[in-house]
Each structure stands twice: as C-alpha cells, then as structure tokens.
Amino acid sequence: MPRRPTSSSDSSPAATLLGLLAICLWSTTIACSRSLAEQLGALTSAAVVYLAAGAIGCTLLVASGRWRSTLRHADRRYLFGCGGLMVAYTVLLFVAVGFARTRTEVITVTVCNYLWPSLTLLFAVPILGWRTRPWVLGMGTLIAITGVALAVGADGFHARSGWSWPTHAVSTLPALLAAVAWGLYSNLSRRWGGAQAANAMPIFLLAAGVMLVALRACRVEHSVWTARVVGEAAYMAIFPTLLAYVCWDSAARRGNLPLVASLSYMTPLLSVLVSSLYLDLPIRPQQWLAGALVVVGAIVCRLSQRDKPPNKNP
C-alpha cells in the first residue's frame, strides 16, 4: 500500500505548542550542560541527568498504568530505531559539550548541533513524503546556516595559535553527528510512532542514562558536588531533558512539524544568548546580525513546503 505523506493539516495545535515549549527549554541546555561538565565531568554529568530524567519519567509511566501498554503496542521500529537514535544523540551531544577545550568552543558546538532544524526539514522530504519547492528550501537552509555560523562566532573566523581542525573535530564532529541523529529521530518518530502511539521518551531517556553510565565506567573523571551542582542537575533532568523531550516527541508525532521545525531555527540564537549570560561570554556584533538571518531562514524554509500533499490512499 502506498504510504500517505504526512500533512501539516493533520496536526494538533496543542502538540505544536508543546514543541515550541521544548524549543524554549532547550535554549538553556548548552549552558547548563557545560557548567555541569566542568564540575562533574562530561560523562558523569550526562549520566546523572539522564538517569534521573529517565527514572522519573518511567516512574510516572508505571504509576499511570501506561508502562505495559507503551511497550506492548508501540511499533518495534519506533522503540528500537528511534530509541537508538535518541541514545546516539544524547551521547554525541554531551561528548561534544563536555570535551570542548574552552567555553568559547562550546559556542562553536552550538552551531554544529543546531543544524538539526534544517536537517529535519530536509529529511522530511524522503522520509515523510513532504512536497517542497527545492530551491526555496535550499535558499532558506543556506540563510539559516549562515545565520547560525555568525551567531556562534566560530573559532575558524578568529583563528588562534594552536587552532587546528583535528583538535577542533573532537567537539565539532560529535555535534554534527548529533544533529543528523536528531533530524532523523524527529521524522522517523512521526512515521513509525504515529499520532496514536504512546510516548516512549521516558524509556529512551533511561536507556540513554544506562549507556552513559557504561561509558563513564571506562573513563576516570573528577567530580565536585556543591549545592549549585545539585540544583543544575535537577533543573537539567526535569526541564530541558524530561519535559522538553517529551514535549518534542509529542510535537513530532502529532503537531505541525514543519512549523515547529522552522521555528526551531531560533533555538541557536536563544542558546547563544543564554550561554553568554550564564557562562559569562561576550556577544560579538555578528551574533546580533545572525538573529535576523536565522528568523528569515526559518520563514523561507517554512514557505518551501507546499500547502498539502496529494492523497495517495488507494
């Protein structure tokens, strides 16, 4: 049976709003992740955050009686395929943030990771069958990528002594791979999960936490626990991790994905601003210019989608 392309008209406004909430919460992720990594270690901080988020989420699933139904009725491709992508994204992102040599390099990591909104739209064409105007999508993606590059003030624009691609790739390459993983997740969760599937994100978060614990066992890290660290870890586990990911999973499966993915282009700018304030990093002039480019790119990419794909039901 031919697959019917997913249309933005078959979407829930409430789920779309949840996607926008996730975008706002995610804008704080890079800053808090770096702060925790500096005090606990990259893998230790990630393991603590994701184990806590997964444990809380799975406890709520059990308490509500939805644990068995989620595992029994969910498509196995959704559970294992999307779950695997979620674990990969988590590990890659925290490795990129934690292994960045300096706080300035963390901003470079931000630009690489937040290429996922453009990748989400690009992957939607072959995976979900979206009809787009290719040249408009390409132009919007180029504008958005240019804006993101300016926003981060990548080190390559201000090369320092000792800067080299091999050393820089330790953080930037995992961030780029994380962007690919999340772009695929956002589309495949809609195709394999569907609007009626139970939200398995708490299970994915717990699986990511277990994987991070295993990786942490292979690496020695020094951790310093303070009241601030506990507060940051609690915030990360509940808001940008559990709540934001659950919201995004609902938006990806039931919301207006092209609209949410387009608006998510603004996340890099928000993340840079939050990181600048929280990590005490100066904002360069080109980052303000990048704001306009990011918004314009989002609008252009949104306009690239045709109003409604043809109904291919037999």
Side-chain angles (χ1 to χ4, degrees):
M1 181 181 295
R3 177 171 52 89
R4 181 178 180 269
T6 303
S7 169
S8 61
S9 62
D10 304 324
S11 60
S12 163
T16 301
L17 290 176
L18 290 178
L20 300 182
L21 175 60
I23 290 171
C24 293
L25 292 174
W26 276 335
S27 67
T28 66
T29 297
I30 299 295
C32 288
S33 297
R34 178 62 183 188
S35 180
L36 281 172
E38 290 176 348
Q39 300 169 88
L40 299 181
L43 296 178
T44 302
S45 59
V48 169
V49 167
Y50 279 85
L51 273 181
I56 294 171
C58 288
T59 298
L60 293 176
L61 277 180
V62 172
S64 64
R66 292 185 287 116
W67 172 267
R68 291 184 179 179
S69 63
T70 298
L71 293 176
R72 183 183 301 117
H73 300 300
D75 190 312
R76 290 298 177 263
R77 294 174 299 176
Y78 171 64
L79 283 178
F80 294 104
C82 293
L85 287 170
M86 174 64 197
V87 172
Y89 170 78
T90 300
V91 173
L92 289 166
L93 179 58
F94 270 83
V95 164
V97 173
F99 289 0
R101 294 175 301 168
T102 65
R103 285 187 168 187
T104 300
E105 194 172 305
V106 171
I107 303 300
T108 305
V109 168
T110 303
V111 65
C112 298
N113 175 61
Y114 283 118
L115 288 178
W116 67 258
S118 61
L119 294 176
T120 297
L121 290 167
L122 290 173
F123 292 156
V125 175
I127 294 175
L128 298 181
W130 284 358
R131 293 178 54 190
T132 61
R133 300 171 179 84
W135 70 272
V136 179
L137 178 59
M139 181 175 64
T141 300
L142 180 60
I143 293 172
I145 290 175
T146 301
V148 171
L150 288 173
V152 300
D155 291 345
F157 297 155
H158 302 277
R160 304 181 304 270
S161 59
W163 186 93
S164 65
W165 281 111
T167 56
H168 209 55
V170 172
S171 59
T172 57
L173 183 57
L176 286 170
L177 294 175
V180 172
W182 193 250
L184 288 171
Y185 175 91
S186 295
N187 285 287
L188 291 174
S189 64
R190 189 178 186 97
R191 179 171 180 178
W192 292 341
Q196 303 305 318
N199 194 321
M201 182 55 72
I203 301 173
F204 298 163
L205 295 176
L206 185 60
V210 172
M211 175 62 72
L212 287 163
V213 168
L215 293 174
R216 169 62 181 83
C218 301
R219 178 182 173 84
V220 176
E221 293 182 338
H222 177 66
S223 302
V224 178
W225 287 92
T226 64
R228 174 176 176 174
V229 169
V230 172
E232 287 179 338
Y235 170 80
M236 277 291 297
I238 296 172
F239 293 101
T241 304
L242 177 60
L243 182 58
Y245 281 129
V246 168
C247 287
W248 182 264
D249 188 76
S250 296
R253 291 184 293 109
R254 297 193 298 270
N256 188 334
L257 186 57
L259 174 60
V260 174
S262 297
L263 290 176
S264 63
Y265 275 124
M266 292 184 291
T267 312
L269 179 61
L270 293 174
S271 182
V272 167
L273 290 172
V274 172
S275 297
S276 175
L277 295 173
Y278 199 75
L279 300 178
D280 194 25
L281 295 172
I283 302 178
R284 293 169 177 164
Q286 65 264 32
Q287 292 171 342
W288 294 111
L289 174 61
L293 292 176
V294 168
V295 173
V296 170
I299 294 173
V300 173
C301 285
R302 177 66 183 92
L303 293 176
S304 72
Q305 187 193 15
R306 298 183 185 276
D307 292 340
K308 186 177 182 180
N311 191 333
K312 293 187 178 181
N313 284 337

